[in-house]
Amino acid sequence: MPVNATLATYSDWTYGAAVAIYFFAAVLYLCEAAFARPEKAKERELVAAGGIQLGGTDAAGTWTPGLVVKPELSRAERLGRMGVALTVLGVVVQVASLVLRGLATERAPWGNMYEYGSLLTLAGVVTWLVLSRTFPVRRLGGFVLVPVVILMFLGGTVLYADAAPVQPALQSYWLVVHVSVISVSTGILLVPGVASVLYLLKSSGHARFRKFPDAEVLDRLAYRSTVFAFPLFTIGIICGAIWAEAAWGRFWGWDPKETVAFVSWVVYAAYLHARATAGWRGRPAAWINSLGFALTVFNLFFINLVTTGLHSYAGVG
Amino acid sequence: MSVLLAFLRNTWRGLTAMRTALTLLFLLALGAMPGALLPQRSLNALKVDEYIANNGWWGRFLDDLQFFDVYASVWFSAVYVLLFVSLVGCLLPRTWDYFKQMRAKPVLTPRNLARMPHHATADTTAGPQAVIEHAERRLKGWRLVTGEERNGARTVSAERGFLRETGNLVFHFSLLGLLIAFALGKMFGYEGQVIVQANGGQFCNSGVYNYDTFRPGLRVDGTRLNQFCVKIDDFNATFLHNGQAESFRADIQYQSGADLETGSWRPYPLEVNSPLRTAGDRLYLLGHGYTPLFTVTFPNGEIRTGTTQWRPVNQVTLASEGATKFDPPDVPDAEQRRKSQLAITGLLAPTAVFRGELLDSAFPAANDPAVAIDVYRGDLGTDSGRGQSIFSIDQKMVQDGKLAKVARQNLKQGEQLTLDDGTVIRFDGVRDWVSLQVSHDPTQMWVLVFSVLVILGLGVSLSIKRRRVWVRATPQEDGRTVVEVGGLARTDQAGYGEEFTALSRDLLAHKEES
Ligand code: HEM
C-alpha cells in the first residue's frame, strides 16, 4: 500500500490551519466573555421555565444561522459571532485534513494516536457547536476550544506520526468501528467534562465566575451530552472487546487501556446514577463527571505514552 | 400515619440502596486502577518480579496485598461480589414494582395544573365532552384514564414512556448476566501458548504437556481438552521499508472431530485478526521469530543439527537471542557426557549489519541472516534438577567452572568454525517459528449476548422519557369551556419541552375546529 505523499502533505497543512483557526476562535470567545455584561435576568427566566422551546434563541445569545443581525449588536456579541463562524471554518478545515489523510493512506484515518486525537477533538468541537445552539453558552466556547487547541497541538507535535499503513493487528474493519466510536464518544465527553468543571466554578459562588451562564444550564448541558455519549462509549468498549477476541485471543484481559476504559465507564455510570439520586445531584454529580473527564485525558496520554499494553502495538511478538 | 411511615421507610431504603451501589461502584473503579498502573502477573510475570526486586519491602508489601494480581485478589473480588449482591437487592423490588406498575392507572389529574413544570391553557366554544374526545384521539398510544369532577369538569390523565423502566431493568439484569457469564468463563476456560516450527511442525491439543505455558481456569484440570491438531506448513511476513510489519500469515492445516479418525487435514490461512475456530476452541497466531539452524560435526564424524527457537529481543528488527544445546554422540557414560555437552548462545540477526565486529539486525525479514555466537562446552546442568530455560544457558554452571567458553565468532549463513577438539559448527541459516495460542471460553457467546442487551437496555432507558400529561376541560357560566393542559416528565425534564409544546398546541386547538 503506497502512501500518496502529496495528499499527506496537504493533510498536514490543513491540520495546522485548523489548529490556528481554533486558536483565533478561542481568542474571540475569550474576548467576548471578557467584554460581555453579566447574565441578564431575562435569560435566567427562560432557563427557569425549563423549556428550550420558549427561548428566543437570539435573545439568549445563541447562534442561529441566517439570523437577522440587528444593527445594535454589542461588541461582545459581534466577537462571539465571529468566533462561531471561525469555529465552523475550523471544523471544515479539520474534516478536510482527516479526509486527506484517509485518501493518502487508503484506510480509515484513525490508525495512530495523532489521527485518533484529531477525530476526538473534531467530535468535541462539533458537539459544542451543536449544543451551543440550544443552550445559551456561546461565550464559554473558549473553555472548550482552549483544551482542544492544546490537545491538537500535542497531537501534531509529540504524537505526530507520518502517514503510513497500519500494522497487521489493526488491519480489520473493527479499526473503523471501534476506534471511530471510541474517539467520537470520548470527544463528545470532552464537552460535559468542561461543562462540569465550569459548573463547579460557577456554583462555588465566586464573584469572578459571575458572568458564566446559570449553573443549571451547565448542569443540563453536561447531563444531556453525557447521556448521549455514554451509550456510544459503551458500544465502543464492546466493539473493542469483540475485536480483542479476534486479535489478541481474549475479549477482556485487563490491558491498561481496557482497565482505564472500564474505570471511566464505571465513573460515568456513577455520574448518571448520582444525577438521578436526591442528594447527589448538583455538585457531587459534577465532581464525578469531572473525574470521568480527568480519567479520559489520563487514558489518552498517560496510558498511551507511559505504560505498555497491547494497545501500543509492538507488532505481534 | 402508617402511610407516611411506609413512605419514609421506602425512601430511606431506596436512598441507602443507591448510595451503597454508588459507593461500591467507586470502590470498583478505584480497585481496578492499580491494575493499570502496576505490572500484573497475568500479563507479564517477569515485569512483576523485576518491580518487586527493584522496590524492596514496598514491592513485597504490595505483593502481599495482591497488588500484582489485582483482578484475582480477595479485595477486588469482595467489591464485585458485594456490588453483585447490592445489584440484586436493588433489582428485585424494582422488578416487583415494575410488574405492579404495568397494570397501574395513570394518576388522577392534580387540582392545580398551573403548578406543573409545563402548562398551557385556552378557552373554546366546544363542550367538555368534545374536548375530552379530541384529547383521547390525540393521545393515542398513551395510557389514559378519563374522569369527571364535581363541578362538571372532565379530565384526562395520560402517561407514557413505561418502556424506559423496561430498558432500565434489561440493562441492569444484562449487567448481572454479563458478570455471571464472565465469571463462569474464567472458571471453565483455559489459555495455552506454544511455539511451533513453521516447516511442518505439529501441535495437538491433547494434553497440557504439549504447551509451553498453560493457564487453566479454576475448574479446569487439563484432562479433557477439546481434541484437534494443527500442522504449520509455512509462514510469511511482509514488511514496509521502515521495518514496520505489513502482514503475517501462517499456512496451516488442521484436523478436528471426525478428521481425527479419518486422518484428513483441512487447510486454513491463519492470520492476525482471523483466528481458527474449531472444536469449540480458538487458535491464534500471536507472534513469530527465527530458529537458527546449526550443523555440528563431532570429531568422530557424527553430525547433529540443532533447531531450537531463539526469541526476539528487539521487536522491530527481530534481533534474537537463545541457546542451542547438544549432547555429544556416542557417550554412554553420563558422567563423561556431562563434561562434553555443547551450547551455542548469542545473537541472531535476520538482516545482518556489522559495526566493526559488533553484529546487529537492520531489518526484521531474514534477508541476510548472521549470528554472533559464544560456544560453551561442559556440563549444561540439565541433570542438576534446576529448571532450565530453553533460551539461555545456566550461568551458575559457568560460575562453578563446569561450563567453559571455548569459542566466540560471527558467522554468516554457510560459514563455519572449528573448535580446538576438531568439532565443526556450521550456521545454515534460519527457519521461521510461530507462537500460537489456544483459547477456550465456553461462555463468551453469552457475554456477547448480554453485552448487546446492555447496549439496547441502556439506549432505551436513556432515550425514552417517562412523562405525563393532564387535560382538564371546565365548563364556564358563559357556555365556553376552559381547557388546561399540564405536563410533567418523571425523569429529567430536559427535552420534554418540545414535545409538550406540540402536544398542548394540538390539545388546545379547538377554537379552529368548532
Ligand atoms: C476490550 C477491549 C478494548 C477496549 C476496552 C478498548 C478501549 C479503547 C479505548 C478506551 C481507547 C481510547 C483510549 C485513549 O483515550 O487513548 C481505544 C483506542 C484504540 N483502540 Fe482499543 N480497546 C479494546 C480493544 C482494542 C483492540 C483489540 C484493538 C486492535 C487490535 C484496539 C485498537 C485501538 C486503537 C487503534 C485505538 C486508537 C488509537 C490509539 O490510541 O492509538 N482496541 N481503545
Side-chain angles (χ1 to χ4, degrees):
Chain A
M1 271 195 297
V3 168
N4 185 325
T6 323
L7 292 183
T9 311
Y10 288 150
S11 165
D12 291 352
W13 287 349
T14 38
Y15 182 89
V19 180
I21 295 172
Y22 287 151
F23 177 77
F24 287 119
V27 171
L28 288 174
Y29 286 129
L30 292 176
C31 291
E32 179 195 14
F35 290 137
R37 279 157 297 135
E39 285 278 277
K40 285 159 282 177
K42 190 155 116 227
E43 258 176 51
R44 223 167 277 141
E45 266 162 34
L46 290 171
V47 170
I52 307 126
Q53 84 288 347
L54 299 173
T57 32
D58 52 339
T62 320
W63 169 68
T64 322
L67 186 89
V68 186
V69 181
K70 283 174 239 117
E72 72 279 4
L73 278 183
S74 70
R75 181 161 46 150
E77 182 75 15
R78 273 200 311 265
L79 287 174
R81 286 178 190 214
M82 275 159 63
V84 172
L86 266 190
T87 314
V88 174
L89 178 68
V91 166
V92 172
V93 173
Q94 200 186 351
V95 168
S97 139
L98 273 171
V99 170
L100 287 168
R101 258 265 160 162
L103 291 176
T105 53
E106 294 176 29
R107 60 169 168 78
W110 41 83
N112 52 52
M113 276 199 65
Y114 159 70
E115 297 166 1
Y116 170 84
S118 180
L119 186 62
L120 185 155
T121 44
L122 179 65
V125 176
V126 170
T127 308
W128 175 256
L129 279 179
V130 170
L131 285 174
S132 62
R133 298 190 53 171
T134 33
F135 293 89
V137 288
R138 187 187 63 208
R139 72 178 64 141
L140 297 181
F143 295 97
V144 174
L145 281 188
V146 167
V148 162
V149 167
I150 294 175
L151 284 178
M152 285 185 77
F153 179 75
L154 289 176
T157 50
V158 185
L159 306 178
Y160 181 78
D162 279 325
V166 289
Q167 311 238 358
L170 299 185
Q171 289 161 16
S172 158
Y173 52 83
W174 289 108
L175 173 72
V176 182
V177 184
H178 165 63
V179 183
S180 59
V181 174
I182 282 272
S183 52
V184 167
S185 55
T186 311
I188 299 174
L189 285 172
L190 217 66
V191 173
V194 170
S196 285
V197 171
L198 296 178
Y199 174 95
L200 288 173
L201 294 179
K202 171 83 184 186
S203 64
S204 70
H206 223 282
R208 201 175 315 152
F209 309 115
R210 174 172 49 108
K211 285 183 185 171
F212 285 5
D214 246 25
E216 201 220 338
V217 176
L218 292 168
D219 174 57
R220 271 196 299 128
L221 176 86
Y223 179 70
R224 283 251 249 167
S225 37
T226 310
V227 157
F228 184 74
F230 184 66
L232 264 188
F233 188 51
T234 314
I235 294 175
I237 291 180
I238 289 172
C239 288
I242 296 174
W243 189 5
E245 196 268 345
W248 298 334
R250 81 292 180 293
F251 63 85
W252 193 269
W254 300 108
D255 174 73
K257 199 179 276 186
E258 287 172 9
T259 305
V260 179
F262 168 78
V263 172
S264 353
W265 188 86
V266 168
V267 168
Y268 281 112
Y271 167 74
L272 292 181
H273 283 90
R275 190 80 178 19
T277 310
W280 284 69
R281 238 170 259 163
R283 286 177 70 86
W287 274 111
I288 300 174
N289 206 355
S290 312
L291 176 67
F293 178 51
L295 277 168
T296 307
V297 175
F298 175 77
N299 200 3
L300 192 55
F301 286 98
F302 188 81
I303 296 293
N304 276 338
L305 300 179
V306 181
T307 63
T308 50
L310 289 164
H311 269 91
S312 52
Y313 323 113
V316 277
Chain B
M1 189 61 196
S2 69
V3 177
L4 183 72
L5 272 182
F7 172 74
L8 282 179
R9 198 171 53 225
N10 283 341
T11 323
W12 183 80
R13 270 193 201 142
L15 273 180
T16 44
M18 194 65 133
R19 286 247 161 105
T20 341
L22 264 177
T23 314
L24 287 170
L25 267 179
F26 274 119
L27 280 179
L28 189 71
L30 194 69
M33 259 336 254
L37 303 175
L38 292 170
Q40 295 294 299
R41 281 220 171 77
S42 58
L43 297 176
N44 194 337
L46 283 178
K47 266 211 195 130
V48 174
D49 296 339
E50 206 175 286
Y51 187 92
I52 296 177
N54 291 342
N55 286 275
W57 71 270
W58 173 240
R60 286 190 302 277
F61 177 68
L62 288 179
D63 196 22
D64 289 340
L65 295 182
Q66 298 179 300
F67 269 92
F68 303 110
D69 304 279
V70 167
Y71 309 107
S73 69
V74 177
W75 43 272
F76 191 73
S77 316
V79 173
Y80 76 67
V81 168
L82 280 176
L83 188 64
F84 189 89
V85 173
S86 144
L87 203 55
V88 173
C90 206
L91 283 183
L92 288 181
R94 260 182 100 158
T95 316
W96 178 243
D97 276 355
Y98 175 72
F99 283 111
K100 274 199 302 201
Q101 293 213 348
M102 275 288 120
R103 281 172 285 125
K105 295 243 157 55
V107 292
L108 286 182
T109 310
R111 192 107 35 84
N112 188 353
L113 284 181
R115 284 247 187 90
M116 288 297 136
H118 303 279
H119 175 249
T121 181
D123 71 347
T124 170
T125 50
Q129 179 65 23
V131 171
I132 294 307
E133 277 168 13
H134 173 76
E136 281 177 318
R137 268 196 309 278
R138 175 61 180 81
L139 293 171
K140 205 143 95 204
W142 290 61
R143 195 176 291 180
L144 287 179
V145 278
T146 52
E148 192 156 1
E149 290 174 355
R150 229 171 293 152
N151 61 357
R154 305 283 309 262
T155 62
V156 178
S157 317
E159 182 160 358
R160 181 167 217 186
F162 288 89
L163 217 52
R164 180 190 180 94
E165 186 63 9
T166 316
N168 203 302
L169 287 175
V170 166
F171 169 75
H172 284 95
F173 274 109
S174 309
L175 221 50
L176 274 185
L178 201 153
L179 229 67
I180 294 174
F182 185 82
L184 288 179
K186 282 274 164 286
M187 282 165 82
F188 291 96
Y190 59 78
E191 231 175 60
Q193 290 166 352
V194 59
I195 285 180
V196 185
Q197 303 286 345
N199 66 329
Q202 276 201 31
F203 164 79
C204 282
N205 191 34
S206 48
V208 175
Y209 44 82
N210 287 354
Y211 286 103
D212 297 337
T213 55
F214 188 75
R215 266 211 303 262
L218 283 174
R219 307 303 306 272
V220 176
D221 58 7
T223 49
R224 284 193 311 255
L225 306 185
N226 295 332
Q227 295 285 323
F228 68 90
C229 288
V230 292
K231 197 158 70 178
I232 316 300
D233 290 333
D234 197 10
F235 175 81
N236 271 298
T238 56
F239 302 93
L240 301 175
H241 292 305
N242 62 2
Q244 184 193 321
E246 192 181 33
S247 75
F248 298 116
R249 193 185 74 241
D251 292 309
I252 69 166
Q253 300 185 60
Y254 70 100
Q255 49 181 201
S256 63
D259 301 340
L260 290 164
E261 265 99 73
T262 61
S264 56
W265 293 88
R266 298 159 194 276
Y268 187 82
L270 188 65
E271 289 178 288
V272 182
N273 272 316
S274 102
L276 168 70
R277 295 171 194 274
T278 186
D281 282 9
R282 290 118 53 202
L283 177 81
Y284 295 88
L285 175 62
L286 278 198
H288 83 113
Y290 295 106
T291 302
L293 303 175
F294 292 108
T295 305
V296 178
T297 311
F298 287 93
N300 64 359
E302 286 242 23
I303 294 178
R304 291 281 154 96
T305 50
T307 53
T308 308
Q309 69 265 23
W310 286 20
R311 67 174 165 206
V313 285
N314 182 323
Q315 294 296 342
V316 180
T317 64
L318 290 186
S320 310
E321 62 179 25
T324 307
K325 302 171 185 177
F326 297 87
D327 269 344
D330 289 336
V331 183
D333 176 30
E335 197 55 37
Q336 191 59 34
R337 191 174 69 230
R338 246 183 267 141
K339 290 211 177 99
S340 47
Q341 291 176 308
L342 275 185
I344 305 172
T345 72
L347 188 81
L348 161 70
T351 298
V353 278
F354 291 95
R355 297 193 179 88
E357 278 297 285
L358 223 55
L359 173 68
D360 200 358
S361 175
F363 199 71
N367 295 339
D368 177 22
V371 287
I373 52 171
D374 290 330
V375 183
Y376 287 86
R377 190 168 52 213
D379 184 354
L380 293 175
T382 31
D383 303 334
S384 68
R386 269 204 310 279
Q388 298 287 318
S389 159
I390 65 161
F391 295 114
S392 60
I393 54 168
D394 191 341
Q395 286 302 329
K396 179 104 184 8
M397 290 310 202
V398 182
Q399 280 157 23
D400 293 354
K402 294 182 182 157
L403 192 59
K405 191 188 291 183
V406 290
R408 150 169 263 180
Q409 196 166 326
N410 293 337
L411 296 180
K412 301 187 89 167
Q413 185 165 346
E415 289 179 346
Q416 60 186 40
L417 66 85
T418 309
L419 300 183
D420 51 3
D421 65 355
T423 303
V424 177
I425 296 175
R426 191 175 70 232
F427 172 56
D428 288 325
V430 298
R431 182 191 280 168
D432 291 296
W433 56 254
V434 293
S435 98
L436 302 178
Q437 172 170 312
V438 175
S439 306
H440 175 76
D441 184 343
T443 57
Q444 74 167 12
M445 203 53 219
W446 286 106
V447 173
L448 180 62
V449 168
F450 284 123
S451 312
V452 172
L453 287 175
V454 160
I455 297 178
L456 291 179
L458 192 63
V460 167
S461 84
L462 288 182
S463 61
I464 292 184
K465 270 176 279 298
R466 179 112 172 251
R467 56 233 192 256
R468 293 174 171 169
V469 61
W470 294 277
V471 184
R472 171 178 285 122
T474 317
Q476 305 292 302
E477 255 127 54
D478 61 3
R480 296 176 74 86
T481 306
V482 169
V483 187
E484 277 180 289
V485 188
L488 172 73
R490 296 204 43 202
T491 44
D492 198 67
Q493 296 291 329
Y496 184 37
E498 293 97 332
E499 185 186 7
F500 182 82
T501 316
L503 205 64
S504 56
R505 198 187 320 111
D506 294 349
L507 290 173
L508 298 175
H510 288 275
K511 269 177 276 188
E512 289 78 21
E513 247 180 38
S514 51

